[in-house]
Amino acid sequence: MKQALLVFIGGGFGSALRYFVSKNLNPFSQHFYLGTFAVNIIGCLLIGFLLALSAKGKLLNENQLLLLATGFCGGFTTFSTFAFEKHTLLKSGFLLHFSVYTITSVVVGIIAVALGIWLAKLI
């Protein structure tokens, strides 16, 4: 029960922060959804960093990993919103924007995970 509560608390904080970032950044980018892109890339960087720290040794215990990686990162990143925005771009006929946003999000997300892992190795 304690572990579920940790995921719940982390997810709540992550979701609230995602809402704040998206609300403040999305209006500045037409047909790109900068807020969603930012939270997904930051979330990729953070989860890569946290999981690498955990794998490196006993730097994070199981409960901390549940709170931060499963809870916070799970609540902060937004794949369902990402997919809905892709649908909206396609439906609106913005094929170029759809392609650039999709490819950029996936490629930069993978790079961010790798960067997070690399940063954790420096510690």
Side-chain angles (χ1 to χ4, degrees), residues 53-65:
L53 278 182
S54 178
K56 188 175 183 178
K58 299 277 183 180
L59 298 175
L60 291 175
N61 66 40
E62 183 182 346
N63 287 336
Q64 291 167 324
L65 205 55

Side-chain angles (χ1 to χ4, degrees), residues 39-122:
V39 298
N40 283 333
I41 298 308
I42 292 166
C44 287
L45 174 69
L46 185 58
I47 203 164
F49 183 76
L50 292 169
L51 293 176
L53 278 182
S54 178
K56 188 175 183 178
K58 299 277 183 180
L59 298 175
L60 291 175
N61 66 40
E62 183 182 346
N63 287 336
Q64 291 167 324
L65 205 55
L66 283 171
L67 176 74
L68 298 172
T70 305
F72 181 81
C73 289
F76 185 60
T77 60
T78 94
F79 191 76
S80 58
T81 302
F82 176 75
F84 176 75
E85 290 168 350
K86 301 290 169 291
H87 171 75
T88 301
L89 290 171
L90 282 175
K91 188 175 174 184
S92 299
F94 295 112
L95 188 58
L96 179 62
H97 294 93
F98 165 84
S99 300
V100 169
Y101 185 38
T102 301
I103 292 168
T104 303
S105 294
V106 171
V107 170
V108 176
I110 292 167
I111 291 169
V113 167
L115 179 61
I117 292 168
W118 179 78
L119 288 171
K121 289 179 181 179
L122 296 177

Side-chain angles (χ1 to χ4, degrees), residues 25-44:
L25 290 182
N26 279 350
F28 294 108
S29 55
Q30 188 176 21
H31 310 304
F32 190 75
Y33 303 103
L34 182 60
T36 304
F37 178 78
V39 298
N40 283 333
I41 298 308
I42 292 166
C44 287

